[in-house]
Amino acid sequence: MSTQGRKWKHEHGTRNPIILEEERIILAIVDRALASTTNSQVIGRNGELPARDFLNRYLPQTFRAATGHFVTPGGEISPQIDIMVLDSRYPLLADNPDGSVIAMAHGVVTCIEVKTRMTSKDVERGWQNSFEIVELVEGIPEYAASKSVGAGVIRTRGLAYRLAASLTAIGKAYDAAGLLHVTTWDVYILRLPEREQVPGKELGATLRLDPAGLEDDEGFIPHTPLIELSQTPLSDLYYSLVRDAYDCLAQRNWSHGDIARHVDQYMSLASYSWYDYERERGA
């Protein structure tokens, strides 16, 4: 079939038809898991996998998505993270049989918390987890000593397939918890509850804090919580993720030589002296 004269461009404010089909596939996988088991670990795993697989199909080869932990140069280990978007130039410290990894903190660009049915409590915990992740890495000398967007620190996001409460209730929980933390945690909701849908639509939403003023004497920037409706939230997540990931790398501006020096902070040669060898053999 000839494509001569045809154009393909996703217009702003319209559905992304390709990502819409990806959304439907992911939601079908998650809904099947919810219908087949009450085991929270199984449900959680079935939530992480389709999102991670989607990202690994679509992300540029500069990045890769993985589940697991990251480690700081000082040996501090992060909590379990549903999805880490990693700078693929950095080697992994461990690649486990269950598909989880241990990554170098320097190589982590974005952390995503995934929920199959987000509750108000999930929102509160998500903000706290975001704050703890950023706080864990801000002591690394190569990072800017700031939690503000654009400083090159790890970005955090949330992905909710569906909501266990109304969008209004989730929005209020987001507002209340978000204003307690000096960090960012945008939440992408694939589908609103059926009772809140517009007939003939498959709407989702994004929750985010919008800068609403200038930095004060203590470095705090006031923010206004926003709820934005979306026709393909997965497309919005993907677009913002890729754009911010490249912006984050640009802010860090780490050369290959810098990366080599970073690797030295995590990995060492396992040399063994001839003296110890002969002594322990009884030579």
PDB file of all heavy atoms in Angstrom, residues 21-55:
ATOM      1  N   GLU A  21      -4.237   2.539  21.718  1.00  0.00           N
ATOM      2  CA  GLU A  21      -4.319   1.076  21.647  1.00  0.00           C
ATOM      3  C   GLU A  21      -3.413   0.427  22.683  1.00  0.00           C
ATOM      4  O   GLU A  21      -3.759  -0.597  23.273  1.00  0.00           O
ATOM      5  CB  GLU A  21      -3.956   0.598  20.240  1.00  0.00           C
ATOM      6  CG  GLU A  21      -4.991   0.949  19.185  1.00  0.00           C
ATOM      7  CD  GLU A  21      -6.382   0.450  19.570  1.00  0.00           C
ATOM      8  OE1 GLU A  21      -6.502  -0.718  20.003  1.00  0.00           O
ATOM      9  OE2 GLU A  21      -7.342   1.230  19.443  1.00  0.00           O
ATOM     10  N   GLU A  22      -2.244   1.022  22.922  1.00  0.00           N
ATOM     11  CA  GLU A  22      -1.349   0.507  23.966  1.00  0.00           C
ATOM     12  C   GLU A  22      -2.022   0.611  25.338  1.00  0.00           C
ATOM     13  O   GLU A  22      -1.918  -0.302  26.159  1.00  0.00           O
ATOM     14  CB  GLU A  22      -0.028   1.280  23.963  1.00  0.00           C
ATOM     15  CG  GLU A  22       0.809   1.117  22.711  1.00  0.00           C
ATOM     16  CD  GLU A  22       1.557  -0.211  22.669  1.00  0.00           C
ATOM     17  OE1 GLU A  22       1.457  -0.996  23.635  1.00  0.00           O
ATOM     18  OE2 GLU A  22       2.239  -0.452  21.661  1.00  0.00           O
ATOM     19  N   GLU A  23      -2.710   1.725  25.582  1.00  0.00           N
ATOM     20  CA  GLU A  23      -3.445   1.889  26.841  1.00  0.00           C
ATOM     21  C   GLU A  23      -4.462   0.776  27.024  1.00  0.00           C
ATOM     22  O   GLU A  23      -4.579   0.183  28.106  1.00  0.00           O
ATOM     23  CB  GLU A  23      -4.191   3.227  26.848  1.00  0.00           C
ATOM     24  CG  GLU A  23      -3.363   4.429  27.187  1.00  0.00           C
ATOM     25  CD  GLU A  23      -4.218   5.684  27.318  1.00  0.00           C
ATOM     26  OE1 GLU A  23      -5.453   5.600  27.174  1.00  0.00           O
ATOM     27  OE2 GLU A  23      -3.639   6.745  27.564  1.00  0.00           O
ATOM     28  N   ARG A  24      -5.225   0.516  25.975  1.00  0.00           N
ATOM     29  CA  ARG A  24      -6.278  -0.499  26.058  1.00  0.00           C
ATOM     30  C   ARG A  24      -5.697  -1.881  26.340  1.00  0.00           C
ATOM     31  O   ARG A  24      -6.258  -2.657  27.122  1.00  0.00           O
ATOM     32  CB  ARG A  24      -7.084  -0.511  24.762  1.00  0.00           C
ATOM     33  CG  ARG A  24      -7.966   0.726  24.575  1.00  0.00           C
ATOM     34  CD  ARG A  24      -8.539   0.812  23.190  1.00  0.00           C
ATOM     35  NE  ARG A  24      -9.490   1.911  23.045  1.00  0.00           N
ATOM     36  CZ  ARG A  24      -9.929   2.359  21.885  1.00  0.00           C
ATOM     37  NH1 ARG A  24      -9.508   1.808  20.752  1.00  0.00           N
ATOM     38  NH2 ARG A  24     -10.805   3.361  21.837  1.00  0.00           N
ATOM     39  N   ILE A  25      -4.568  -2.185  25.719  1.00  0.00           N
ATOM     40  CA  ILE A  25      -3.918  -3.489  25.936  1.00  0.00           C
ATOM     41  C   ILE A  25      -3.444  -3.601  27.383  1.00  0.00           C
ATOM     42  O   ILE A  25      -3.657  -4.618  28.053  1.00  0.00           O
ATOM     43  CB  ILE A  25      -2.739  -3.667  24.953  1.00  0.00           C
ATOM     44  CG1 ILE A  25      -3.265  -3.822  23.516  1.00  0.00           C
ATOM     45  CG2 ILE A  25      -1.891  -4.878  25.346  1.00  0.00           C
ATOM     46  CD1 ILE A  25      -2.179  -3.726  22.462  1.00  0.00           C
ATOM     47  N   ILE A  26      -2.793  -2.542  27.879  1.00  0.00           N
ATOM     48  CA  ILE A  26      -2.280  -2.553  29.250  1.00  0.00           C
ATOM     49  C   ILE A  26      -3.426  -2.692  30.243  1.00  0.00           C
ATOM     50  O   ILE A  26      -3.358  -3.485  31.192  1.00  0.00           O
ATOM     51  CB  ILE A  26      -1.463  -1.276  29.530  1.00  0.00           C
ATOM     52  CG1 ILE A  26      -0.137  -1.311  28.761  1.00  0.00           C
ATOM     53  CG2 ILE A  26      -1.195  -1.115  31.022  1.00  0.00           C
ATOM     54  CD1 ILE A  26       0.668  -0.035  28.845  1.00  0.00           C
ATOM     55  N   LEU A  27      -4.501  -1.936  30.047  1.00  0.00           N
ATOM     56  CA  LEU A  27      -5.635  -2.002  30.963  1.00  0.00           C
ATOM     57  C   LEU A  27      -6.279  -3.391  30.951  1.00  0.00           C
ATOM     58  O   LEU A  27      -6.717  -3.883  31.996  1.00  0.00           O
ATOM     59  CB  LEU A  27      -6.670  -0.938  30.595  1.00  0.00           C
ATOM     60  CG  LEU A  27      -6.295   0.491  31.005  1.00  0.00           C
ATOM     61  CD1 LEU A  27      -7.222   1.496  30.336  1.00  0.00           C
ATOM     62  CD2 LEU A  27      -6.339   0.659  32.511  1.00  0.00           C
ATOM     63  N   ALA A  28      -6.326  -4.031  29.786  1.00  0.00           N
ATOM     64  CA  ALA A  28      -6.893  -5.379  29.700  1.00  0.00           C
ATOM     65  C   ALA A  28      -6.051  -6.368  30.500  1.00  0.00           C
ATOM     66  O   ALA A  28      -6.585  -7.248  31.190  1.00  0.00           O
ATOM     67  CB  ALA A  28      -6.989  -5.814  28.235  1.00  0.00           C
ATOM     68  N   ILE A  29      -4.726  -6.231  30.436  1.00  0.00           N
ATOM     69  CA  ILE A  29      -3.829  -7.115  31.198  1.00  0.00           C
ATOM     70  C   ILE A  29      -4.040  -6.915  32.696  1.00  0.00           C
ATOM     71  O   ILE A  29      -4.152  -7.875  33.464  1.00  0.00           O
ATOM     72  CB  ILE A  29      -2.361  -6.840  30.821  1.00  0.00           C
ATOM     73  CG1 ILE A  29      -2.091  -7.253  29.376  1.00  0.00           C
ATOM     74  CG2 ILE A  29      -1.402  -7.570  31.771  1.00  0.00           C
ATOM     75  CD1 ILE A  29      -0.741  -6.800  28.839  1.00  0.00           C
ATOM     76  N   VAL A  30      -4.119  -5.666  33.110  1.00  0.00           N
ATOM     77  CA  VAL A  30      -4.286  -5.358  34.535  1.00  0.00           C
ATOM     78  C   VAL A  30      -5.657  -5.809  35.024  1.00  0.00           C
ATOM     79  O   VAL A  30      -5.787  -6.401  36.104  1.00  0.00           O
ATOM     80  CB  VAL A  30      -4.077  -3.853  34.778  1.00  0.00           C
ATOM     81  CG1 VAL A  30      -4.418  -3.482  36.212  1.00  0.00           C
ATOM     82  CG2 VAL A  30      -2.634  -3.463  34.470  1.00  0.00           C
ATOM     83  N   ASP A  31      -6.706  -5.547  34.248  1.00  0.00           N
ATOM     84  CA  ASP A  31      -8.052  -5.949  34.653  1.00  0.00           C
ATOM     85  C   ASP A  31      -8.168  -7.466  34.767  1.00  0.00           C
ATOM     86  O   ASP A  31      -8.850  -7.985  35.661  1.00  0.00           O
ATOM     87  CB  ASP A  31      -9.085  -5.419  33.656  1.00  0.00           C
ATOM     88  CG  ASP A  31      -9.261  -3.913  33.749  1.00  0.00           C
ATOM     89  OD1 ASP A  31      -8.826  -3.325  34.762  1.00  0.00           O
ATOM     90  OD2 ASP A  31      -9.824  -3.326  32.814  1.00  0.00           O
ATOM     91  N   ARG A  32      -7.488  -8.184  33.890  1.00  0.00           N
ATOM     92  CA  ARG A  32      -7.496  -9.652  33.969  1.00  0.00           C
ATOM     93  C   ARG A  32      -6.828 -10.121  35.260  1.00  0.00           C
ATOM     94  O   ARG A  32      -7.318 -11.042  35.922  1.00  0.00           O
ATOM     95  CB  ARG A  32      -6.771 -10.244  32.760  1.00  0.00           C
ATOM     96  CG  ARG A  32      -6.773 -11.775  32.720  1.00  0.00           C
ATOM     97  CD  ARG A  32      -6.113 -12.268  31.459  1.00  0.00           C
ATOM     98  NE  ARG A  32      -4.714 -11.861  31.410  1.00  0.00           N
ATOM     99  CZ  ARG A  32      -3.951 -11.957  30.318  1.00  0.00           C
ATOM    100  NH1 ARG A  32      -4.454 -12.407  29.186  1.00  0.00           N
ATOM    101  NH2 ARG A  32      -2.688 -11.576  30.355  1.00  0.00           N
ATOM    102  N   ALA A  33      -5.729  -9.468  35.641  1.00  0.00           N
ATOM    103  CA  ALA A  33      -5.048  -9.827  36.887  1.00  0.00           C
ATOM    104  C   ALA A  33      -5.933  -9.547  38.094  1.00  0.00           C
ATOM    105  O   ALA A  33      -6.020 -10.353  39.028  1.00  0.00           O
ATOM    106  CB  ALA A  33      -3.739  -9.058  37.004  1.00  0.00           C
ATOM    107  N   LEU A  34      -6.627  -8.406  38.080  1.00  0.00           N
ATOM    108  CA  LEU A  34      -7.513  -8.060  39.193  1.00  0.00           C
ATOM    109  C   LEU A  34      -8.670  -9.045  39.319  1.00  0.00           C
ATOM    110  O   LEU A  34      -9.134  -9.345  40.421  1.00  0.00           O
ATOM    111  CB  LEU A  34      -8.056  -6.645  38.997  1.00  0.00           C
ATOM    112  CG  LEU A  34      -7.063  -5.489  39.205  1.00  0.00           C
ATOM    113  CD1 LEU A  34      -7.655  -4.179  38.726  1.00  0.00           C
ATOM    114  CD2 LEU A  34      -6.683  -5.378  40.673  1.00  0.00           C
ATOM    115  N   ALA A  35      -9.123  -9.568  38.161  1.00  0.00           N
ATOM    116  CA  ALA A  35     -10.253 -10.498  38.173  1.00  0.00           C
ATOM    117  C   ALA A  35      -9.851 -11.907  38.586  1.00  0.00           C
ATOM    118  O   ALA A  35     -10.697 -12.692  39.023  1.00  0.00           O
ATOM    119  CB  ALA A  35     -10.910 -10.529  36.792  1.00  0.00           C
ATOM    120  N   SER A  36      -8.558 -12.230  38.454  1.00  0.00           N
ATOM    121  CA  SER A  36      -8.133 -13.616  38.650  1.00  0.00           C
ATOM    122  C   SER A  36      -7.516 -13.899  40.011  1.00  0.00           C
ATOM    123  O   SER A  36      -7.345 -15.058  40.389  1.00  0.00           O
ATOM    124  CB  SER A  36      -7.134 -14.011  37.554  1.00  0.00           C
ATOM    125  OG  SER A  36      -5.953 -13.216  37.663  1.00  0.00           O
ATOM    126  N   THR A  37      -7.162 -12.859  40.768  1.00  0.00           N
ATOM    127  CA  THR A  37      -6.494 -13.094  42.050  1.00  0.00           C
ATOM    128  C   THR A  37      -6.722 -11.924  42.997  1.00  0.00           C
ATOM    129  O   THR A  37      -7.017 -10.804  42.558  1.00  0.00           O
ATOM    130  CB  THR A  37      -4.979 -13.293  41.854  1.00  0.00           C
ATOM    131  OG1 THR A  37      -4.360 -13.570  43.123  1.00  0.00           O
ATOM    132  CG2 THR A  37      -4.334 -12.051  41.262  1.00  0.00           C
ATOM    133  N   THR A  38      -6.576 -12.220  44.289  1.00  0.00           N
ATOM    134  CA  THR A  38      -6.607 -11.166  45.304  1.00  0.00           C
ATOM    135  C   THR A  38      -5.229 -10.957  45.925  1.00  0.00           C
ATOM    136  O   THR A  38      -5.077 -10.166  46.844  1.00  0.00           O
ATOM    137  CB  THR A  38      -7.613 -11.520  46.426  1.00  0.00           C
ATOM    138  OG1 THR A  38      -7.243 -12.786  46.996  1.00  0.00           O
ATOM    139  CG2 THR A  38      -9.030 -11.595  45.880  1.00  0.00           C
ATOM    140  N   ASN A  39      -4.225 -11.684  45.407  1.00  0.00           N
ATOM    141  CA  ASN A  39      -2.862 -11.582  45.920  1.00  0.00           C
ATOM    142  C   ASN A  39      -2.260 -10.243  45.485  1.00  0.00           C
ATOM    143  O   ASN A  39      -2.064  -9.998  44.294  1.00  0.00           O
ATOM    144  CB  ASN A  39      -2.020 -12.752  45.384  1.00  0.00           C
ATOM    145  CG  ASN A  39      -0.637 -12.790  46.002  1.00  0.00           C
ATOM    146  OD1 ASN A  39       0.099 -11.807  45.965  1.00  0.00           O
ATOM    147  ND2 ASN A  39      -0.273 -13.937  46.562  1.00  0.00           N
ATOM    148  N   SER A  40      -1.958  -9.389  46.453  1.00  0.00           N
ATOM    149  CA  SER A  40      -1.486  -8.039  46.133  1.00  0.00           C
ATOM    150  C   SER A  40      -0.151  -8.054  45.400  1.00  0.00           C
ATOM    151  O   SER A  40       0.110  -7.194  44.552  1.00  0.00           O
ATOM    152  CB  SER A  40      -1.380  -7.203  47.405  1.00  0.00           C
ATOM    153  OG  SER A  40      -0.478  -7.787  48.331  1.00  0.00           O
ATOM    154  N   GLN A  41       0.715  -9.030  45.731  1.00  0.00           N
ATOM    155  CA  GLN A  41       2.019  -9.098  45.064  1.00  0.00           C
ATOM    156  C   GLN A  41       1.854  -9.463  43.591  1.00  0.00           C
ATOM    157  O   GLN A  41       2.527  -8.902  42.722  1.00  0.00           O
ATOM    158  CB  GLN A  41       2.915 -10.117  45.756  1.00  0.00           C
ATOM    159  CG  GLN A  41       3.429  -9.645  47.115  1.00  0.00           C
ATOM    160  CD  GLN A  41       4.443 -10.600  47.711  1.00  0.00           C
ATOM    161  OE1 GLN A  41       4.383 -11.806  47.486  1.00  0.00           O
ATOM    162  NE2 GLN A  41       5.366 -10.060  48.484  1.00  0.00           N
ATOM    163  N   VAL A  42       0.959 -10.414  43.310  1.00  0.00           N
ATOM    164  CA  VAL A  42       0.711 -10.812  41.928  1.00  0.00           C
ATOM    165  C   VAL A  42       0.086  -9.659  41.152  1.00  0.00           C
ATOM    166  O   VAL A  42       0.477  -9.365  40.013  1.00  0.00           O
ATOM    167  CB  VAL A  42      -0.201 -12.056  41.868  1.00  0.00           C
ATOM    168  CG1 VAL A  42      -0.605 -12.366  40.423  1.00  0.00           C
ATOM    169  CG2 VAL A  42       0.492 -13.255  42.496  1.00  0.00           C
ATOM    170  N   ILE A  43      -0.885  -8.999  41.779  1.00  0.00           N
ATOM    171  CA  ILE A  43      -1.526  -7.855  41.128  1.00  0.00           C
ATOM    172  C   ILE A  43      -0.505  -6.752  40.863  1.00  0.00           C
ATOM    173  O   ILE A  43      -0.456  -6.167  39.779  1.00  0.00           O
ATOM    174  CB  ILE A  43      -2.685  -7.323  41.999  1.00  0.00           C
ATOM    175  CG1 ILE A  43      -3.823  -8.345  42.032  1.00  0.00           C
ATOM    176  CG2 ILE A  43      -3.189  -5.990  41.459  1.00  0.00           C
ATOM    177  CD1 ILE A  43      -4.909  -8.010  43.037  1.00  0.00           C
ATOM    178  N   GLY A  44       0.340  -6.473  41.862  1.00  0.00           N
ATOM    179  CA  GLY A  44       1.357  -5.441  41.692  1.00  0.00           C
ATOM    180  C   GLY A  44       2.323  -5.758  40.569  1.00  0.00           C
ATOM    181  O   GLY A  44       2.676  -4.893  39.776  1.00  0.00           O
ATOM    182  N   ARG A  45       2.733  -7.023  40.507  1.00  0.00           N
ATOM    183  CA  ARG A  45       3.651  -7.443  39.448  1.00  0.00           C
ATOM    184  C   ARG A  45       3.011  -7.297  38.076  1.00  0.00           C
ATOM    185  O   ARG A  45       3.650  -6.877  37.121  1.00  0.00           O
ATOM    186  CB  ARG A  45       4.055  -8.904  39.692  1.00  0.00           C
ATOM    187  CG  ARG A  45       5.186  -9.401  38.809  1.00  0.00           C
ATOM    188  CD  ARG A  45       6.472  -8.716  39.160  1.00  0.00           C
ATOM    189  NE  ARG A  45       7.592  -9.268  38.432  1.00  0.00           N
ATOM    190  CZ  ARG A  45       8.680  -8.601  38.119  1.00  0.00           C
ATOM    191  NH1 ARG A  45       8.792  -7.335  38.465  1.00  0.00           N
ATOM    192  NH2 ARG A  45       9.674  -9.171  37.480  1.00  0.00           N
ATOM    193  N   ASN A  46       1.728  -7.648  37.987  1.00  0.00           N
ATOM    194  CA  ASN A  46       1.013  -7.512  36.721  1.00  0.00           C
ATOM    195  C   ASN A  46       0.746  -6.057  36.362  1.00  0.00           C
ATOM    196  O   ASN A  46       0.386  -5.769  35.225  1.00  0.00           O
ATOM    197  CB  ASN A  46      -0.297  -8.298  36.774  1.00  0.00           C
ATOM    198  CG  ASN A  46      -0.102  -9.773  36.485  1.00  0.00           C
ATOM    199  OD1 ASN A  46      -0.089 -10.203  35.343  1.00  0.00           O
ATOM    200  ND2 ASN A  46       0.077 -10.554  37.536  1.00  0.00           N
ATOM    201  N   GLY A  47       0.897  -5.161  37.333  1.00  0.00           N
ATOM    202  CA  GLY A  47       0.808  -3.741  37.036  1.00  0.00           C
ATOM    203  C   GLY A  47       2.118  -3.174  36.528  1.00  0.00           C
ATOM    204  O   GLY A  47       2.144  -2.363  35.604  1.00  0.00           O
ATOM    205  N   GLU A  48       3.224  -3.625  37.121  1.00  0.00           N
ATOM    206  CA  GLU A  48       4.540  -3.111  36.730  1.00  0.00           C
ATOM    207  C   GLU A  48       4.954  -3.581  35.331  1.00  0.00           C
ATOM    208  O   GLU A  48       5.481  -2.810  34.538  1.00  0.00           O
ATOM    209  CB  GLU A  48       5.600  -3.585  37.727  1.00  0.00           C
ATOM    210  CG  GLU A  48       5.436  -3.062  39.135  1.00  0.00           C
ATOM    211  CD  GLU A  48       6.274  -3.845  40.121  1.00  0.00           C
ATOM    212  OE1 GLU A  48       7.143  -4.629  39.688  1.00  0.00           O
ATOM    213  OE2 GLU A  48       6.048  -3.692  41.340  1.00  0.00           O
ATOM    214  N   LEU A  49       4.729  -4.878  35.061  1.00  0.00           N
ATOM    215  CA  LEU A  49       5.277  -5.477  33.849  1.00  0.00           C
ATOM    216  C   LEU A  49       4.792  -4.821  32.553  1.00  0.00           C
ATOM    217  O   LEU A  49       5.608  -4.490  31.691  1.00  0.00           O
ATOM    218  CB  LEU A  49       4.999  -6.983  33.824  1.00  0.00           C
ATOM    219  CG  LEU A  49       5.875  -7.831  34.752  1.00  0.00           C
ATOM    220  CD1 LEU A  49       5.391  -9.274  34.775  1.00  0.00           C
ATOM    221  CD2 LEU A  49       7.334  -7.777  34.304  1.00  0.00           C
ATOM    222  N   PRO A  50       3.473  -4.638  32.353  1.00  0.00           N
ATOM    223  CA  PRO A  50       3.058  -4.054  31.074  1.00  0.00           C
ATOM    224  C   PRO A  50       3.560  -2.628  30.873  1.00  0.00           C
ATOM    225  O   PRO A  50       3.890  -2.241  29.748  1.00  0.00           O
ATOM    226  CB  PRO A  50       1.529  -4.115  31.124  1.00  0.00           C
ATOM    227  CG  PRO A  50       1.179  -4.301  32.548  1.00  0.00           C
ATOM    228  CD  PRO A  50       2.320  -5.026  33.181  1.00  0.00           C
ATOM    229  N   ALA A  51       3.639  -1.845  31.957  1.00  0.00           N
ATOM    230  CA  ALA A  51       4.149  -0.477  31.835  1.00  0.00           C
ATOM    231  C   ALA A  51       5.641  -0.490  31.521  1.00  0.00           C
ATOM    232  O   ALA A  51       6.121   0.272  30.666  1.00  0.00           O
ATOM    233  CB  ALA A  51       3.880   0.305  33.120  1.00  0.00           C
ATOM    234  N   ARG A  52       6.373  -1.364  32.198  1.00  0.00           N
ATOM    235  CA  ARG A  52       7.814  -1.461  31.939  1.00  0.00           C
ATOM    236  C   ARG A  52       8.080  -1.942  30.513  1.00  0.00           C
ATOM    237  O   ARG A  52       8.952  -1.404  29.817  1.00  0.00           O
ATOM    238  CB  ARG A  52       8.450  -2.419  32.940  1.00  0.00           C
ATOM    239  CG  ARG A  52       9.977  -2.429  32.896  1.00  0.00           C
ATOM    240  CD  ARG A  52      10.535  -3.558  33.724  1.00  0.00           C
ATOM    241  NE  ARG A  52      10.245  -4.861  33.124  1.00  0.00           N
ATOM    242  CZ  ARG A  52      10.471  -6.025  33.708  1.00  0.00           C
ATOM    243  NH1 ARG A  52      10.949  -6.067  34.932  1.00  0.00           N
ATOM    244  NH2 ARG A  52      10.200  -7.148  33.094  1.00  0.00           N
ATOM    245  N   ASP A  53       7.312  -2.947  30.068  1.00  0.00           N
ATOM    246  CA  ASP A  53       7.502  -3.467  28.712  1.00  0.00           C
ATOM    247  C   ASP A  53       7.161  -2.410  27.669  1.00  0.00           C
ATOM    248  O   ASP A  53       7.839  -2.297  26.640  1.00  0.00           O
ATOM    249  CB  ASP A  53       6.646  -4.715  28.501  1.00  0.00           C
ATOM    250  CG  ASP A  53       7.129  -5.903  29.325  1.00  0.00           C
ATOM    251  OD1 ASP A  53       8.255  -5.833  29.859  1.00  0.00           O
ATOM    252  OD2 ASP A  53       6.380  -6.884  29.444  1.00  0.00           O
ATOM    253  N   PHE A  54       6.111  -1.639  27.925  1.00  0.00           N
ATOM    254  CA  PHE A  54       5.754  -0.546  27.009  1.00  0.00           C
ATOM    255  C   PHE A  54       6.920   0.427  26.871  1.00  0.00           C
ATOM    256  O   PHE A  54       7.308   0.808  25.752  1.00  0.00           O
ATOM    257  CB  PHE A  54       4.513   0.183  27.522  1.00  0.00           C
ATOM    258  CG  PHE A  54       4.299   1.532  26.897  1.00  0.00           C
ATOM    259  CD1 PHE A  54       3.739   1.646  25.640  1.00  0.00           C
ATOM    260  CD2 PHE A  54       4.680   2.696  27.563  1.00  0.00           C
ATOM    261  CE1 PHE A  54       3.554   2.899  25.047  1.00  0.00           C
ATOM    262  CE2 PHE A  54       4.499   3.939  26.986  1.00  0.00           C
ATOM    263  CZ  PHE A  54       3.934   4.046  25.725  1.00  0.00           C
ATOM    264  N   LEU A  55       7.486   0.840  27.998  1.00  0.00           N
ATOM    265  CA  LEU A  55       8.587   1.803  27.948  1.00  0.00           C
ATOM    266  C   LEU A  55       9.795   1.227  27.218  1.00  0.00           C
ATOM    267  O   LEU A  55      10.444   1.927  26.428  1.00  0.00           O
ATOM    268  CB  LEU A  55       8.972   2.237  29.362  1.00  0.00           C
ATOM    269  CG  LEU A  55       7.955   3.131  30.073  1.00  0.00           C
ATOM    270  CD1 LEU A  55       8.380   3.387  31.509  1.00  0.00           C
ATOM    271  CD2 LEU A  55       7.768   4.454  29.332  1.00  0.00           C
TER     272      LEU A  55
END
